[in-house]
Amino acid sequence: MNNLTNQGRTALVYGGSRGIGAAIVKRLAEDGYDVAFTYVSRPDAAGALVDEVAALGGNALAILADSTDASSIEHAATAAHARFGAIDAVVVNAGIYKAGQVGEVSISDLDQMLAVNVRGVFLSIQASVPLLKDGGRVVTIGSNVVNGVGSPGSSVYQLTKAAVAAMVKGLALDLAPRRITVNNVQPGPTKTDITSGFLEYLIERSPQKRVADPSEIAGAVAYFLRDDAAYVTGASLTIDGGFTL
């Protein structure tokens, strides 16, 4: 059932059709938001998510948008605004991971991870800011690898997520005069398509002997959107069950 407090509010989720992104879309819809979200490769999953939100009594809009393309990113923001009006919250979840030790990473993989995980995050926020209400919220999805990796092959991914954690601090100051908060959620191992092939390994390494459910990450995002989180900005919250302690 939709939260009456949030009815009439709008959220835009970049990278929302699967995994953590889909869990965020569903949680925000349950909390009463009209939710626009982007997808890039799975129109079937995007359509199914729109139907699932409708079944919850909510409204969702799926927008095809490539996070490496500035014009595509801008289109997503304007499409969300055209459908639902001024935006209350923006969540930037779009990201990619390609493993490789320093001698193995191709220039193409390096450029793609930087384009999506850093440039795309900044451009998504930049495109959305003019359409955000004063007092609105911005949340990025980073990673617990900022605190430590523990195994080789993730240096590029780690640097992109460290860039996001640093970026939110500067953006928080830029947007503070409008009382727009900017915060970062850093998930640890989570049950998604990406981790499906090595869940047992991750579970064994985890202090809690489990991985997160995507809904737990969505819950952290929902916290940053609450009225009583209005004084929290420039922060990074790690959710990894003690994985990087």
Side-chain angles (χ1 to χ4, degrees):
M1 182 177 294
N2 285 349
N3 183 334
L4 293 176
T5 302
N6 294 321
Q7 282 192 341
R9 293 188 179 185
T10 295
L12 170 57
V13 180
Y14 284 93
S17 64
R18 295 182 293 164
I20 290 173
I24 293 168
V25 169
K26 286 185 282 189
R27 173 58 188 267
L28 298 187
E30 290 169 354
D31 285 353
Y33 287 82
D34 293 327
V35 188
F37 67 92
T38 71
Y39 69 96
V40 70
S41 63
R42 288 287 304 277
D44 55 333
L49 182 56
V50 169
D51 292 342
E52 189 170 352
V53 169
L56 294 170
N59 299 306
L61 171 67
I63 306 166
L64 177 62
D66 183 347
S67 289
T68 65
D69 185 330
S71 61
S72 188
I73 289 170
E74 290 178 6
H75 165 71
T78 56
H81 183 266
R83 173 70 175 272
F84 295 126
I87 299 170
D88 295 276
V90 174
V91 182
V92 188
N93 175 65
I96 60 171
Y97 171 76
K98 293 190 175 185
Q101 295 189 38
V102 63
E104 303 166 346
V105 177
S106 68
I107 293 176
S108 175
D109 285 351
L110 172 64
D111 287 347
Q112 189 176 17
M113 278 192 277
L114 289 170
V116 176
N117 295 2
V118 182
R119 180 177 179 269
V121 173
F122 183 86
L123 291 178
S124 296
I125 296 169
Q126 185 183 57
S128 304
V129 163
L131 308 176
L132 263 174
K133 295 178 183 177
D134 288 352
R137 308 301 168 85
V138 176
V139 181
T140 59
I141 305 300
S143 172
N144 73 330
V145 299
V146 171
N147 302 326
V149 179
S151 58
S154 297
S155 60
V156 176
Y157 185 71
Q158 185 177 35
L159 79 85
T160 65
K161 294 303 185 179
V164 170
M167 186 193 306
V168 299
K169 295 179 181 295
L171 291 172
L173 292 177
D174 287 351
L175 298 176
R178 291 181 56 194
R179 294 178 291 106
I180 295 173
T181 66
V182 187
N183 292 292
N184 181 41
V185 174
Q186 299 184 151
T190 305
K191 189 176 181 180
T192 65
D193 293 347
I194 294 175
T195 59
S196 61
F198 47 98
L199 276 178
E200 290 185 7
Y201 168 75
L202 294 171
I203 290 169
E204 181 58 33
R205 285 192 58 196
S206 169
Q208 293 192 4
K209 301 304 176 188
R210 73 180 186 93
V211 298
D213 186 85
S215 64
E216 294 176 285
I217 311 305
V221 172
Y223 163 71
F224 282 127
L225 270 55
R226 286 170 50 176
D227 291 342
D228 53 6
Y231 203 55
V232 183
T233 195
S236 288
L237 175 62
T238 298
I239 305 174
D240 70 355
F243 204 88
T244 51
L245 291 178

